[in-house]
Amino acid sequence: MLLKAFALLPDDLVTELASLGILTSTDLMFSSTTPLEMYSRLSSKSISFPEFEACIKVILTKLATSGQEAVELDQPSHSCFKMETLTSLDNYLDGGLPCARVIEISGDNDSGKRILLLNCVLMSLLRNREIEGLWIDTTGDFVVERAVQILEYHQQVEAIFSSVKRWSNCVQSLDDMEILLQRLHISIATDMESVQQIIRALDFQLALQASSIQMKYIVIDSVTSLFGPYLSAVSSQGHAIMAAFMRYLRDFAKRYSLINNATLMQPRSTARAQTTAEVTNPRSVFASTIRKPALGPSFTFMTDATLWVSLWPAQEEDEEKFTTHVVEVFRSKFSVSNVWSAFRIAASGALLTDCTTAS
């Protein structure tokens, strides 16, 4: 790192060190001369030797990696929150989607990806009264009434609350449902600048030690509408904007995973193919899958996992009551890949018991 990049170093000192051939922090740290010999070679003594040593210490502190005591390694990790999805899919994900991760959920139009994610988010709020979530709507398609219908459906299924112990604290009244929905924060942002302002404001709040926010996940629905206008075949500026934003999201997730167990997800819709030839997606196990994620192959490596949601190839006769869908794990850094699980969505939008078919 260039010494002039350190704002705390005096400009005169940086200039004199450059005249001695010391331009970077590497030159300074691995110099064969001692700090005293280096100081004696400076033409002007604008600072004292103790101040010169303090400047070196500042550089070393900025570049050093913080240590960790061995006793802390044996302590159980606080980043154990996982968002449960489908029972059959969670078996492959080791219990659900983990925190401190950036997950991409893709799919064609009307594939059910938004409904699947909304069900998972709401059920997470039902099972834990302490957590909160942020849903950033970039298309204006979020419908509060649909969320209420989903909650009402799961509330009516008495067997769910009685058969699973961890759901014993679920909502039992309309007042409880209203309190639950207050823990799902909805923000509308139609451009990249607005989304960045929202996330940076949350970053500032979470950075406060006294903050009582228990944010567990952030949903950006969808990122295609954010990055699409910037991407071009003749310029790399859009790709740079996308890479910088995704890098910040990854750092944001990791920094607060132990405190707030933040799990970040990006559901997005897939644009229509520009070619008339239907080419099967090689990552899918179904020959009917001819679509691919919209933001190109490089976006895949900016996330920790890629989940693809689509309609089940052969729909059943009773399509007015429910539709059958399938979610595939195209790629994952924390679980097995190339697995899939089928599920059903009711006409109200509620996620029905997932199908037994899985592989």
Side-chain angles (χ1 to χ4, degrees):
M1 186 174 181
L2 293 175
L3 294 180
K4 62 181 181 181
F6 293 92
L8 298 177
L9 295 181
D11 294 337
D12 296 340
L13 178 60
V14 174
T15 303
E16 292 192 49
L17 290 175
S19 64
L20 299 178
I22 302 176
L23 301 174
T24 65
S25 56
T26 303
D27 299 334
L28 183 63
M29 289 187 298
F30 297 100
S31 175
S32 59
T33 59
T34 63
L36 181 58
E37 294 173 341
M38 196 179 303
Y39 179 76
S40 63
R41 294 171 56 188
L42 298 178
S43 58
S44 64
K45 303 298 187 290
S46 58
I47 61 175
S48 63
F49 179 66
E51 291 175 334
F52 179 69
E53 286 187 312
C55 290
I56 297 178
K57 185 177 180 180
V58 168
I59 296 175
L60 296 177
T61 302
K62 288 288 185 180
L63 299 176
T65 303
S66 57
Q68 185 177 16
E69 296 183 4
V71 66
E72 297 178 356
L73 299 176
D74 293 332
Q75 306 241 348
S77 173
H78 297 286
S79 56
C80 57
F81 172 79
K82 290 189 176 183
M83 178 188 292
E84 298 183 13
T85 57
L86 306 171
T87 302
S88 54
L89 184 62
D90 288 342
N91 293 334
Y92 299 113
L93 301 178
D94 193 21
L97 299 176
C99 62
R101 299 286 185 174
V102 179
I103 314 296
E104 171 194 2
I105 301 181
S106 301
D108 203 356
N109 295 328
D110 301 326
S111 62
K113 56 187 178 300
R114 180 181 291 114
I115 294 298
L116 171 63
L117 184 58
L118 180 59
N119 275 268
C120 296
V121 168
L122 292 176
M123 294 314 297
S124 295
L125 295 175
L126 280 171
R127 298 169 188 176
N128 194 324
R129 293 178 178 267
E130 304 298 326
I131 69 174
E132 299 180 28
L134 172 62
W135 190 293
I136 302 178
D137 183 11
T138 65
T139 59
D141 294 332
F142 187 89
V143 181
V144 178
E145 290 75 10
R146 175 60 60 88
V148 174
Q149 291 178 353
I150 293 174
L151 285 176
E152 289 177 344
Y153 171 82
H154 291 293
Q155 187 181 17
Q156 294 172 359
V157 183
E158 183 179 356
I160 294 180
F161 301 113
S162 60
S163 61
V164 184
K165 254 185 202 179
R166 63 176 180 271
W167 291 20
S168 59
N169 293 328
C170 290
V171 294
Q172 299 292 337
S173 66
L174 293 178
D175 292 337
D176 292 337
M177 184 179 298
E178 182 178 353
I179 295 175
L180 183 148
L181 290 175
Q182 290 177 355
R183 291 188 281 119
L184 177 59
H185 307 277
I186 310 298
S187 297
I188 299 178
T190 58
D191 54 70
M192 177 64 68
E193 291 75 14
S194 301
V195 173
Q196 289 177 332
Q197 290 178 1
I198 293 173
I199 296 180
R200 292 188 185 280
L202 178 61
D203 193 350
F204 176 77
Q205 294 180 12
L206 295 178
L208 300 177
Q209 296 297 328
S211 176
S212 59
I213 300 177
Q214 298 295 323
M215 192 66 61
K216 302 298 182 181
Y217 45 80
I218 296 176
V219 176
I220 304 179
D221 180 24
S222 66
V223 296
T224 303
S225 60
L226 295 179
F227 297 139
Y230 295 97
L231 298 178
S232 171
V234 296
S235 174
S236 61
Q237 181 181 5
H239 187 274
I241 294 175
M242 180 175 66
F245 181 74
M246 296 303 297
R247 190 182 303 111
Y248 174 75
L249 282 183
R250 180 184 297 274
D251 177 70
F252 180 79
K254 290 183 178 179
R255 274 189 288 120
Y256 297 111
S257 61
L258 297 180
I259 301 175
N260 301 282
N261 297 317
T263 303
L264 286 76
M265 310 179 67
Q266 293 83 37
R268 56 195 177 90
S269 61
T270 299
R272 294 290 180 181
Q274 300 297 322
T275 177
T276 56
E278 295 187 353
V279 181
T280 302
N281 190 332
R283 290 185 174 271
S284 176
V285 298
F286 298 96
S288 59
T289 303
I290 60 175
R291 305 293 186 189
K292 295 182 180 179
L295 296 178
S298 61
F299 186 83
T300 300
F301 300 98
M302 300 179 188
T303 61
D304 295 298
T306 300
L307 275 63
W308 179 269
V309 183
S310 58
L311 284 170
W312 185 256
Q315 290 292 326
E316 300 183 19
E317 296 182 357
D318 205 354
E319 294 185 9
E320 295 183 358
K321 294 183 178 180
F322 63 83
T323 54
T324 307
H325 305 254
V326 60
V327 54
E328 301 179 70
V329 181
F330 279 177
R331 181 194 61 87
S332 175
K333 295 181 180 179
F334 52 83
S335 67
V336 295
S337 303
N338 300 321
V339 296
W340 58 273
S341 178
F343 62 96
R344 295 188 178 96
I345 296 178
S348 62
L351 182 66
L352 303 178
T353 306
D354 50 311
C355 307
T356 56
T357 305
S359 178

